[in-house]
Amino acid sequence: MGAEAVGAPQPVPAAPVVLGLQPSALVDHVARVDWSLLDHIPGERGGSLPVAIEDLEHILSEVKNHILPSANYLSPLKTMAGGSVANTVRGLATCFGVTCGIVGACGDDEQGQLFLDNMKYNDVGLSNLKMKKGPTAQCACLVDAVGNRTMRPCLSSAVRLQADELTRENFRGSKWLVMRYGIFNLDIIHAAVKIAKQEGVFVSLDLASFEMVQNFREPLLTLLESGNVDLCFANEDEAAELVRGEKDADTEAALEYMGKHCQWAVVTLGSNGCIAKHQKEMVRVHAIGEAQASDATGAGDLFASGFLYGLLKGLPLEDCCRVGSCSGGSVIRSLGGDVTPENRQWMYKQMQIKGLPLPDLCN
């Protein structure tokens, strides 16, 4: 089987308002484990470090020996479509009713079908997603007792969309392109940015992980300083790596750097909320106190969903952050990077309390 568009032949759908670039579709295996498991796998705790398929299989085989008991989950391992970009566009579609699509490739295997089914169920458009012969990327998401997570993705052997497979038709009519920084995808990131700018599409970039920024900082700085990234998201650790070695290197210095080259810049600070900048305006927004963390997986991704919804609605910078705080707070209340129906209702309630406009799908 060669590459084929998923769902063809179907009527040509309307262009998604938000298009996510995820060159390799990804399936997350999420489990709550005791930290002793992490003593036996490579890399630092708390970040995201690529591993070989043999390492991934070893980690997943060991999960059963390190699982944390919980009355809330019927299965010790939750498997779902994942990846930062997929989490963000799925959140925009299901929580906010924004028309979204994803451009990339999945394998012709069980994991690829799971990814397709999950995205389709959550109303994410698949007309720009190609199925290719080969395996789909997978990631072990290991969550500790207080909700901190460690990611070990396996991407090396997975099918992926190549830079020369992108076309202007993929982007035409969309308002935003959502991407995640990754050195292995740098060629397609640059190609996507070039086409997006030709089509008048805004570009959003997530900095991925502190290891990615730490190990591949120079190409990232070049990308940001090109002026083609309109919106940049970083967490506290990623921000620290971004300005490592600079004088007075702190989160505000990182925000200042990001804001110098991007129209909008956001640094999320976990339980301390976030700071954001748009041109000369800078705001600090507190996190939602009621959002008890069960699993931090997807917190930044869903924050991005809410922030982008705010931008699409024309909300002020502070309100964009407040919506992001509500959506980011909703996903951490349960295991995995998707928002359950119960947690969506919790999110809408928080938005109402804060006087934020609810999505049309709530009417």
Short mmCIF file of all heavy atoms in Angstrom, two decimals, residues 100-139:
data_model
loop_
_atom_site.label_atom_id
_atom_site.label_comp_id
_atom_site.label_asym_id
_atom_site.label_seq_id
_atom_site.Cartn_x
_atom_site.Cartn_y
_atom_site.Cartn_z
N CYS A 100 -11.40 21.99 12.83
CA CYS A 100 -9.96 21.68 12.83
C CYS A 100 -9.65 20.53 11.90
O CYS A 100 -10.50 19.68 11.62
CB CYS A 100 -9.49 21.32 14.25
SG CYS A 100 -9.54 22.69 15.42
N GLY A 101 -8.41 20.49 11.46
CA GLY A 101 -7.92 19.38 10.66
C GLY A 101 -6.48 19.09 11.03
O GLY A 101 -5.83 19.87 11.73
N ILE A 102 -5.98 17.98 10.53
CA ILE A 102 -4.59 17.61 10.82
C ILE A 102 -3.92 17.18 9.52
O ILE A 102 -4.54 16.50 8.68
CB ILE A 102 -4.54 16.49 11.89
CG1 ILE A 102 -3.14 16.39 12.49
CG2 ILE A 102 -5.05 15.16 11.38
CD1 ILE A 102 -3.11 15.69 13.83
N VAL A 103 -2.69 17.62 9.32
CA VAL A 103 -1.92 17.22 8.14
C VAL A 103 -0.73 16.40 8.64
O VAL A 103 -0.02 16.81 9.55
CB VAL A 103 -1.47 18.44 7.31
CG1 VAL A 103 -0.67 19.43 8.11
CG2 VAL A 103 -0.70 18.00 6.06
N GLY A 104 -0.56 15.22 8.05
CA GLY A 104 0.50 14.33 8.49
C GLY A 104 0.31 12.96 7.88
O GLY A 104 -0.32 12.81 6.83
N ALA A 105 0.87 11.94 8.55
CA ALA A 105 0.78 10.57 8.05
C ALA A 105 0.65 9.60 9.21
O ALA A 105 1.21 9.82 10.29
CB ALA A 105 2.02 10.22 7.22
N CYS A 106 -0.09 8.52 8.99
CA CYS A 106 -0.19 7.44 9.96
C CYS A 106 0.14 6.13 9.27
O CYS A 106 0.10 6.03 8.04
CB CYS A 106 -1.58 7.38 10.59
SG CYS A 106 -2.88 6.87 9.45
N GLY A 107 0.49 5.13 10.06
CA GLY A 107 0.80 3.83 9.51
C GLY A 107 -0.44 3.01 9.23
O GLY A 107 -1.53 3.31 9.73
N ASP A 108 -0.26 1.94 8.46
CA ASP A 108 -1.38 1.06 8.12
C ASP A 108 -1.46 -0.08 9.14
O ASP A 108 -1.62 -1.25 8.76
CB ASP A 108 -1.23 0.53 6.70
CG ASP A 108 0.05 -0.28 6.50
OD1 ASP A 108 0.98 -0.17 7.36
OD2 ASP A 108 0.15 -1.02 5.51
N ASP A 109 -1.36 0.25 10.41
CA ASP A 109 -1.37 -0.76 11.46
C ASP A 109 -2.48 -0.48 12.46
O ASP A 109 -3.28 0.46 12.28
CB ASP A 109 -0.01 -0.79 12.18
CG ASP A 109 0.41 0.57 12.73
OD1 ASP A 109 -0.37 1.54 12.58
OD2 ASP A 109 1.50 0.67 13.32
N GLU A 110 -2.56 -1.29 13.50
CA GLU A 110 -3.61 -1.13 14.51
C GLU A 110 -3.55 0.23 15.19
O GLU A 110 -4.57 0.87 15.45
CB GLU A 110 -3.47 -2.24 15.56
CG GLU A 110 -4.52 -2.21 16.65
CD GLU A 110 -4.31 -3.29 17.69
OE1 GLU A 110 -3.44 -4.16 17.48
OE2 GLU A 110 -5.02 -3.27 18.72
N GLN A 111 -2.32 0.71 15.47
CA GLN A 111 -2.16 2.00 16.12
C GLN A 111 -2.62 3.14 15.20
O GLN A 111 -3.23 4.11 15.65
CB GLN A 111 -0.70 2.23 16.53
CG GLN A 111 -0.06 1.09 17.30
CD GLN A 111 -0.74 0.83 18.63
OE1 GLN A 111 -1.42 1.68 19.16
NE2 GLN A 111 -0.55 -0.37 19.15
N GLY A 112 -2.33 3.01 13.91
CA GLY A 112 -2.78 4.01 12.95
C GLY A 112 -4.29 4.10 12.88
O GLY A 112 -4.87 5.18 12.84
N GLN A 113 -4.95 2.93 12.91
CA GLN A 113 -6.41 2.92 12.87
C GLN A 113 -6.99 3.52 14.13
O GLN A 113 -8.00 4.23 14.10
CB GLN A 113 -6.91 1.48 12.68
CG GLN A 113 -8.40 1.40 12.36
CD GLN A 113 -8.76 2.15 11.08
OE1 GLN A 113 -8.16 1.93 10.03
NE2 GLN A 113 -9.75 3.04 11.16
N LEU A 114 -6.34 3.25 15.26
CA LEU A 114 -6.79 3.84 16.53
C LEU A 114 -6.71 5.37 16.46
O LEU A 114 -7.63 6.07 16.88
CB LEU A 114 -5.95 3.31 17.68
CG LEU A 114 -6.36 3.67 19.11
CD1 LEU A 114 -5.87 2.60 20.08
CD2 LEU A 114 -5.85 5.02 19.56
N PHE A 115 -5.60 5.89 15.91
CA PHE A 115 -5.44 7.34 15.77
C PHE A 115 -6.56 7.91 14.90
O PHE A 115 -7.18 8.92 15.26
CB PHE A 115 -4.08 7.65 15.17
CG PHE A 115 -3.77 9.12 15.09
CD1 PHE A 115 -3.13 9.77 16.13
CD2 PHE A 115 -4.13 9.86 13.96
CE1 PHE A 115 -2.85 11.13 16.05
CE2 PHE A 115 -3.85 11.22 13.88
CZ PHE A 115 -3.21 11.85 14.93
N LEU A 116 -6.80 7.27 13.76
CA LEU A 116 -7.84 7.75 12.84
C LEU A 116 -9.21 7.75 13.51
O LEU A 116 -9.96 8.73 13.42
CB LEU A 116 -7.89 6.87 11.59
CG LEU A 116 -6.66 6.84 10.69
CD1 LEU A 116 -6.87 5.84 9.57
CD2 LEU A 116 -6.38 8.23 10.15
N ASP A 117 -9.54 6.66 14.17
CA ASP A 117 -10.86 6.54 14.81
C ASP A 117 -11.05 7.61 15.88
O ASP A 117 -12.12 8.22 15.99
CB ASP A 117 -11.03 5.15 15.42
CG ASP A 117 -11.13 4.04 14.38
OD1 ASP A 117 -11.35 4.37 13.20
OD2 ASP A 117 -10.95 2.87 14.75
N ASN A 118 -10.00 7.86 16.67
CA ASN A 118 -10.11 8.83 17.74
C ASN A 118 -10.26 10.25 17.19
O ASN A 118 -11.10 11.02 17.66
CB ASN A 118 -8.88 8.75 18.64
CG ASN A 118 -8.97 9.68 19.83
OD1 ASN A 118 -8.42 10.78 19.80
ND2 ASN A 118 -9.65 9.25 20.88
N MET A 119 -9.48 10.60 16.19
CA MET A 119 -9.59 11.93 15.61
C MET A 119 -10.94 12.14 14.93
O MET A 119 -11.58 13.19 15.08
CB MET A 119 -8.46 12.16 14.59
CG MET A 119 -7.07 12.31 15.19
SD MET A 119 -6.82 13.85 16.12
CE MET A 119 -6.90 13.22 17.78
N LYS A 120 -11.39 11.13 14.21
CA LYS A 120 -12.68 11.24 13.53
C LYS A 120 -13.81 11.35 14.54
O LYS A 120 -14.72 12.18 14.38
CB LYS A 120 -12.89 10.01 12.64
CG LYS A 120 -14.17 10.07 11.80
CD LYS A 120 -14.27 8.87 10.87
CE LYS A 120 -15.54 8.95 10.02
NZ LYS A 120 -15.65 7.77 9.11
N TYR A 121 -13.77 10.57 15.60
CA TYR A 121 -14.79 10.62 16.64
C TYR A 121 -14.87 12.01 17.27
O TYR A 121 -15.94 12.47 17.67
CB TYR A 121 -14.49 9.56 17.71
CG TYR A 121 -15.44 9.57 18.88
CD1 TYR A 121 -16.69 8.94 18.77
CD2 TYR A 121 -15.11 10.19 20.07
CE1 TYR A 121 -17.58 8.95 19.84
CE2 TYR A 121 -15.98 10.20 21.14
CZ TYR A 121 -17.22 9.58 21.02
OH TYR A 121 -18.11 9.59 22.09
N ASN A 122 -13.72 12.68 17.34
CA ASN A 122 -13.66 14.01 17.96
C ASN A 122 -13.74 15.15 16.95
O ASN A 122 -13.36 16.28 17.24
CB ASN A 122 -12.38 14.13 18.80
CG ASN A 122 -12.46 13.31 20.07
OD1 ASN A 122 -13.16 13.67 21.01
ND2 ASN A 122 -11.75 12.19 20.11
N ASP A 123 -14.23 14.83 15.75
CA ASP A 123 -14.55 15.83 14.72
C ASP A 123 -13.33 16.58 14.19
O ASP A 123 -13.43 17.75 13.80
CB ASP A 123 -15.59 16.84 15.24
CG ASP A 123 -16.92 16.18 15.56
OD1 ASP A 123 -17.31 15.28 14.81
OD2 ASP A 123 -17.55 16.56 16.57
N VAL A 124 -12.18 15.93 14.18
CA VAL A 124 -10.99 16.52 13.56
C VAL A 124 -10.91 16.03 12.11
O VAL A 124 -10.95 14.83 11.86
CB VAL A 124 -9.70 16.13 14.32
CG1 VAL A 124 -8.47 16.67 13.60
CG2 VAL A 124 -9.75 16.65 15.75
N GLY A 125 -10.81 16.96 11.16
CA GLY A 125 -10.79 16.61 9.76
C GLY A 125 -9.55 15.82 9.37
O GLY A 125 -8.44 16.14 9.80
N LEU A 126 -9.73 14.80 8.54
CA LEU A 126 -8.64 13.89 8.17
C LEU A 126 -8.28 13.94 6.69
O LEU A 126 -7.50 13.12 6.22
CB LEU A 126 -9.03 12.45 8.55
CG LEU A 126 -9.34 12.20 10.02
CD1 LEU A 126 -9.80 10.76 10.21
CD2 LEU A 126 -8.12 12.49 10.88
N SER A 127 -8.83 14.91 5.96
CA SER A 127 -8.60 14.92 4.50
C SER A 127 -7.14 15.19 4.14
O SER A 127 -6.71 14.87 3.03
CB SER A 127 -9.51 15.96 3.84
OG SER A 127 -9.22 17.27 4.32
N ASN A 128 -6.37 15.77 5.07
CA ASN A 128 -4.95 16.03 4.83
C ASN A 128 -4.03 15.02 5.51
O ASN A 128 -2.82 15.24 5.56
CB ASN A 128 -4.59 17.44 5.30
CG ASN A 128 -5.21 18.52 4.45
OD1 ASN A 128 -5.18 18.45 3.23
ND2 ASN A 128 -5.80 19.52 5.09
N LEU A 129 -4.62 13.94 6.01
CA LEU A 129 -3.82 12.91 6.67
C LEU A 129 -3.66 11.72 5.73
O LEU A 129 -4.65 11.18 5.22
CB LEU A 129 -4.50 12.45 7.96
CG LEU A 129 -3.69 11.51 8.85
CD1 LEU A 129 -2.53 12.25 9.50
CD2 LEU A 129 -4.57 10.89 9.92
N LYS A 130 -2.42 11.30 5.49
CA LYS A 130 -2.16 10.20 4.58
C LYS A 130 -1.86 8.92 5.36
O LYS A 130 -1.19 8.95 6.40
CB LYS A 130 -0.97 10.53 3.68
CG LYS A 130 -1.23 11.66 2.71
CD LYS A 130 -0.06 11.87 1.76
CE LYS A 130 -0.38 12.95 0.74
NZ LYS A 130 0.72 13.13 -0.23
N MET A 131 -2.33 7.80 4.84
CA MET A 131 -1.98 6.50 5.40
C MET A 131 -0.84 5.92 4.56
O MET A 131 -0.93 5.89 3.33
CB MET A 131 -3.16 5.55 5.42
CG MET A 131 -2.84 4.19 5.99
SD MET A 131 -4.29 3.10 6.08
CE MET A 131 -5.13 3.78 7.50
N LYS A 132 0.23 5.49 5.25
CA LYS A 132 1.38 4.92 4.56
C LYS A 132 1.69 3.53 5.11
O LYS A 132 1.33 3.22 6.25
CB LYS A 132 2.60 5.83 4.74
CG LYS A 132 2.48 7.20 4.12
CD LYS A 132 3.80 7.95 4.21
CE LYS A 132 3.75 9.28 3.50
NZ LYS A 132 5.07 9.96 3.47
N LYS A 133 2.35 2.73 4.32
CA LYS A 133 2.74 1.39 4.75
C LYS A 133 3.85 1.51 5.79
O LYS A 133 4.88 2.15 5.54
CB LYS A 133 3.22 0.57 3.56
CG LYS A 133 3.53 -0.89 3.92
CD LYS A 133 3.85 -1.69 2.68
CE LYS A 133 4.14 -3.14 3.02
NZ LYS A 133 3.00 -3.79 3.70
N GLY A 134 3.64 0.92 6.96
CA GLY A 134 4.63 0.99 8.02
C GLY A 134 3.98 1.26 9.37
O GLY A 134 2.76 1.39 9.47
N PRO A 135 4.80 1.36 10.42
CA PRO A 135 4.27 1.52 11.77
C PRO A 135 3.91 2.97 12.11
O PRO A 135 4.49 3.92 11.55
CB PRO A 135 5.42 1.03 12.66
CG PRO A 135 6.65 1.32 11.86
CD PRO A 135 6.26 1.13 10.42
N THR A 136 2.99 3.12 13.03
CA THR A 136 2.61 4.42 13.58
C THR A 136 3.44 4.70 14.83
O THR A 136 3.74 3.78 15.59
CB THR A 136 1.10 4.43 13.94
OG1 THR A 136 0.35 4.12 12.75
CG2 THR A 136 0.66 5.77 14.50
N ALA A 137 3.81 5.96 15.03
CA ALA A 137 4.59 6.34 16.20
C ALA A 137 3.80 6.08 17.49
O ALA A 137 2.57 6.15 17.51
CB ALA A 137 4.99 7.80 16.12
N GLN A 138 4.54 5.77 18.57
CA GLN A 138 3.93 5.52 19.87
C GLN A 138 4.72 6.24 20.95
O GLN A 138 5.89 6.59 20.76
CB GLN A 138 3.90 4.02 20.18
CG GLN A 138 3.15 3.18 19.16
CD GLN A 138 3.17 1.71 19.53
OE1 GLN A 138 2.63 1.31 20.56
NE2 GLN A 138 3.80 0.90 18.70
N CYS A 139 4.07 6.46 22.10
CA CYS A 139 4.74 7.14 23.20
C CYS A 139 4.25 6.58 24.53
O CYS A 139 3.04 6.42 24.73
CB CYS A 139 4.45 8.64 23.14
SG CYS A 139 5.25 9.60 24.47
#
